[in-house]
Amino acid sequence: MPATLYYVKPGDTLWRISKRFGTTIETILNANVICNPNLIFPGEVLLIPSPETPSFLKAGGFPYYVVRPGDTLWCLAQQFGTTVTILALSNNIRDPNIIFAGQELLVIGERPDPAQLKQQWENLGGWPSCDQIPPISIHGIYYNGSFSWEALGQDAIPYLLQLIDNPCNIVRIYTVISLARIARNDRVKNALRAAADDPDPSVSRLVPLALRRIELGEQERKNVHLVIDSVPLHEEPNLASPSIQLPAGTEVAALRWLIPSPTEEEGPRGGILIYDRFRVLKTGQTGYIPRVGFDEIVVI
C-alpha cells in the first residue's frame, strides 16, 4: 500500500490524522519535519506512510527548509543532524533565537574551507578532462558544492570570481549558479555580465537568471527561485497527474521541499522520485516539480 499525501484541514491534529489513516503520531513525525507536534496548519502538506511501506526520507527539508510557526533553530538542527551554529552561520542569522515563519533556510551539515573547496573544483575540472567527469562526480562535487559556497556566503566570492574563468564549462556553470545565490555586489554582477559572452551556451544562458536571482536577494526575497530549464508543474506529486510546462526563468516561491513520491515512482537514477512544491508568482498556481538526476532541484 503506497503512502498518502494529506492536506491538513481546519481542526485537524496529528492524533486525529493518525487515527484516520490507522497509523501513529510517531510514524507521521518520522516522515515529516515537524518541530512542534501540537502545531499543524490548514493547507500544510504531510506525508502519511503506510504501515507496510514506512518512509525513509523526511518530507520538508533539503537543500532548503521553509520555516513553520513554532520552529526553532535548535529543533531544526536536531531534525537535520547539524548544529545551531552551522545553521545560523550558513543563513547569516545574527540572533539564533529569532527566525520567522515563511523564512527559507539553507540546510547543510558543515561549512567547508573555501580554499580547499576551490582546489577540489579545479582538480576535478582538469582531470582527466572536463568532458569525462562522471555524472555522479558532477553531482557530488559541483551540485552539492554549490550549496557549500552558499553556506560560506560573502566569504565565497573571492574564490568564485576566480573559478568563473575556469577552462572547464562544468566549473563555470556551477560557479554562475553559486554566485546567483549569494552575491550582492557590483564586482560580481560585472563578472556575470562578462560571462554572458561565454562560448558555451549552457553557461551564458544562466547569466540572466543569475542576475535576476541576485536582484531578488537584494530585495530580501530569498525564498523566490527561478526555474533553470523548462519543467513540468504537476497538480500532485505524481507524473500521471495533470501538468503545465514552466519555461526557464519562471519565478516560483517554495512552499515545501523534498516530498518523496507517495506512489513510490522511481526517480531518473533509481530510488524514489522526489518532488518540491512551489507557487508560481505570476499566476498563483501551486504544484509539484519533480527533481532530476541524483535528486537535484531545478531552480536557483
Side-chain angles (χ1 to χ4, degrees):
M1 179 179 176
T4 300
L5 199 69
Y6 181 72
Y7 296 84
V8 176
K9 298 177 175 59
D12 273 341
T13 65
L14 286 187
W15 183 83
R16 289 178 180 175
I17 295 171
S18 68
K19 295 305 177 186
R20 182 177 304 165
F21 289 96
T23 186
T24 65
I25 292 176
E26 182 180 8
T27 298
I28 297 174
L29 291 175
N30 287 337
N32 299 272
V33 179
I34 299 175
C35 276
N36 188 336
N38 297 314
L39 284 178
I40 58 173
F41 302 90
E44 186 176 350
V45 174
L46 297 178
L47 185 69
I48 313 295
S50 71
E52 295 82 7
T53 56
S55 176
F56 296 101
L57 290 171
K58 275 196 171 188
F62 190 80
Y64 301 103
Y65 173 76
V66 180
V67 175
R68 303 165 63 254
D71 284 345
T72 65
L73 282 191
W74 182 89
C75 169
L76 295 175
Q78 308 306 305
Q79 292 277 337
F80 297 118
T82 185
T83 68
V84 170
T85 298
I86 289 176
L87 283 177
L89 289 173
S90 299
N91 292 279
N92 196 28
I93 296 174
R94 295 182 180 180
D95 187 343
N97 296 309
I98 300 177
I99 56 175
F100 303 95
Q103 182 178 356
E104 188 171 86
L105 300 179
L106 172 66
V107 176
I108 193 167
E110 59 182 19
R111 300 173 81 246
D113 176 270
Q116 292 181 359
L117 184 58
K118 173 178 176 287
Q119 184 176 31
Q120 187 180 45
W121 277 36
E122 290 174 330
N123 290 346
L124 183 61
W127 181 90
S129 67
C130 183
D131 58 2
Q132 295 181 21
I133 302 176
I136 187 64
S137 296
I138 295 175
H139 171 81
I141 301 301
Y142 297 112
Y143 173 79
N144 287 337
S146 69
F147 299 109
S148 296
W149 287 122
E150 183 178 1
L152 289 166
Q154 298 300 306
D155 292 341
I157 291 177
Y159 301 91
L160 290 169
L161 287 176
Q162 297 177 55
L163 289 169
I164 201 169
D165 294 321
N166 191 277
C168 177
N169 68 325
I170 294 171
V171 176
R172 300 198 304 277
I173 287 169
Y174 284 96
T175 298
V176 170
I177 290 173
S178 300
L179 284 170
R181 295 187 178 126
I182 61 176
R184 301 189 187 185
N185 64 53
D186 290 339
R187 186 181 176 194
V188 169
K189 293 176 187 176
N190 290 335
L192 285 170
R193 292 186 184 106
D197 296 324
D198 195 288
D200 189 327
S202 62
V203 179
S204 58
R205 73 175 185 83
L206 289 173
V207 171
L209 304 182
L211 290 170
R212 175 55 179 162
R213 185 69 172 88
I214 290 173
E215 182 181 3
L216 290 167
E218 291 173 335
Q219 297 170 2
E220 302 300 331
R221 300 171 69 194
K222 185 181 177 183
N223 66 329
V224 177
H225 300 265
L226 287 87
V227 173
I228 297 176
D229 293 301
S230 177
V231 295
L233 180 77
H234 289 270
E235 288 185 7
E236 297 294 335
N238 184 332
L239 294 179
S241 71
S243 67
I244 60 171
Q245 204 70 17
L246 300 180
T250 301
E251 296 181 8
V252 294
L255 301 176
R256 191 158 178 82
W257 295 94
L258 199 155
I259 299 173
S261 168
T263 59
E264 299 182 353
E265 298 168 291
E266 184 174 334
R269 296 186 180 272
I272 294 178
L273 183 61
I274 302 297
Y275 292 84
D276 300 295
R277 189 179 186 218
F278 293 100
R279 181 180 71 254
V280 180
L281 294 192
K282 186 175 182 179
T283 65
Q285 185 169 0
T286 62
Y288 298 83
I289 297 178
R291 296 194 183 185
V292 300
F294 298 93
D295 297 338
E296 296 165 4
I297 63 174
V298 293
V299 299
I300 55 172

